[in-house]
Amino acid sequence: SNVSHEIRSPLASIKAMTETLEEGAIEEISVAKEFISRIHRDVDRMSNIANDLLELSLLESNQIDLTKTPMDITSLLTQVRDEFLPQCEDKSISLTLQGIDSTHRVLAEKARIHQVLVNLFDNALKFTPEGGSINIQIELEGNIVKIEVSDTGIGIPEEHQPHIFEGFYRVDSSRTYQGTGLGLSIAKHIIEFYGGAIWVTNIDGKGSKFTFTLPMYSPM
């Protein structure tokens, strides 16, 4: 039912716009160009949903061969931080990274952990207003590497937190969301595959903190 809801809206939009074009709007160049651009966006959204659904299905059925290779997650955090700095600067959002003085290694596929981090960074940026802040911290607790992504955004009501990693779950259906709505669900499967855990908490009602853990890699 969630999938149907997510796809029904862009399909209805495409149908309405193509019918309007067929009825004569295609002769009005400016209107036709705008409609075609909006159709492209709706098609891209449905394509992204289909791709993420396939990936989620393969993850849930253990049909994706995720590799486990020793990797430096500290340097990966720095890389992702640098990728998001321009977008943060555009919104006057401060982005800080703490705990990178030490190198922490985990046993995972770098591209997959990058995927998780990008999703968490993107969510923090999306829901943090201009002038806010995002803080990333990495630390070692025993033999566990813990990464926290905190923001001063809109926060997530406590009653919704147990469901936030479900596919297409919406905290508030009246809000406008970008993305496919499957990123956190995919992230959860990836982290759990590598023996970790992921969860979300609020920060004194002034934002959210997403935390995930991974076992530290220790060569024999």
Side-chain angles (χ1 to χ4, degrees):
S1 62
N2 287 340
V3 175
S4 298
H5 175 76
E6 292 297 323
I7 293 179
R8 187 182 299 118
S9 179
L11 277 177
S13 176
I14 290 171
K15 180 176 175 58
M17 285 186 286
T18 52
E19 288 175 348
T20 303
L21 289 170
E22 286 178 337
E23 291 170 359
I26 197 168
E27 303 298 335
E28 301 178 35
I29 301 301
S30 60
V31 174
K33 285 184 177 180
E34 171 63 19
F35 276 21
I36 290 172
S37 176
R38 288 165 60 184
I39 289 171
H40 274 301
R41 289 197 295 270
D42 284 334
V43 170
D44 286 342
R45 171 164 172 72
M46 288 191 295
S47 177
N48 290 335
I49 289 174
N51 290 335
D52 279 359
L53 275 172
L54 176 59
E55 181 173 24
L56 184 59
S57 175
L58 293 174
L59 284 167
E60 289 178 340
S61 58
N62 295 317
Q63 293 184 50
I64 289 183
D65 184 20
L66 298 180
T67 61
K68 293 183 178 181
T69 307
M71 55 158 289
D72 178 4
I73 195 170
T74 310
S75 64
L76 180 59
L77 271 173
T78 303
Q79 175 189 328
V80 178
R81 186 273 313 271
D82 292 344
E83 291 173 7
F84 276 83
L85 268 177
Q87 298 176 61
C88 288
E89 291 172 353
D90 288 344
K91 290 183 64 176
S92 299
I93 292 174
S94 65
L95 179 59
T96 56
L97 179 55
Q98 299 177 317
I100 59 173
D101 295 335
S102 302
T103 297
H104 301 303
R105 295 170 66 81
V106 297
L107 197 62
E109 182 179 344
K110 181 178 180 180
R112 289 296 180 176
I113 303 304
H114 179 273
Q115 182 179 0
V116 172
L117 289 171
V118 165
N119 182 271
L120 297 182
F121 275 53
D122 187 61
N123 280 342
L125 180 62
K126 189 183 304 177
F127 297 116
T128 299
E130 290 191 11
S133 62
I134 298 172
N135 181 64
I136 299 92
Q137 181 169 330
I138 180 171
E139 60 182 340
L140 191 64
E141 293 186 349
N143 63 345
I144 299 296
V145 178
K146 183 171 75 173
I147 294 92
E148 297 177 343
V149 180
S150 307
D151 63 62
T152 57
I154 59 178
I156 301 171
E158 189 172 344
E159 65 268 23
H160 293 285
Q161 292 176 12
H163 307 287
I164 199 67
F165 295 96
E166 298 173 7
F168 296 121
Y169 188 81
R170 295 292 187 243
V171 173
D172 183 348
S173 59
S174 67
R175 291 174 180 158
T176 300
Y177 288 80
Q178 298 174 345
T180 64
L182 293 169
L184 287 175
S185 185
I186 291 173
K188 182 176 185 290
H189 279 83
I190 291 172
I191 293 302
E192 290 181 348
F193 175 85
Y194 290 120
I198 185 169
W199 65 93
V200 62
T201 53
N202 278 346
I203 310 171
D204 299 328
K206 298 180 180 178
S208 301
K209 177 169 68 177
F210 281 85
T211 306
F212 73 87
T213 61
L214 289 169
M216 179 185 68
Y217 170 69
S218 298
M220 300 298 293

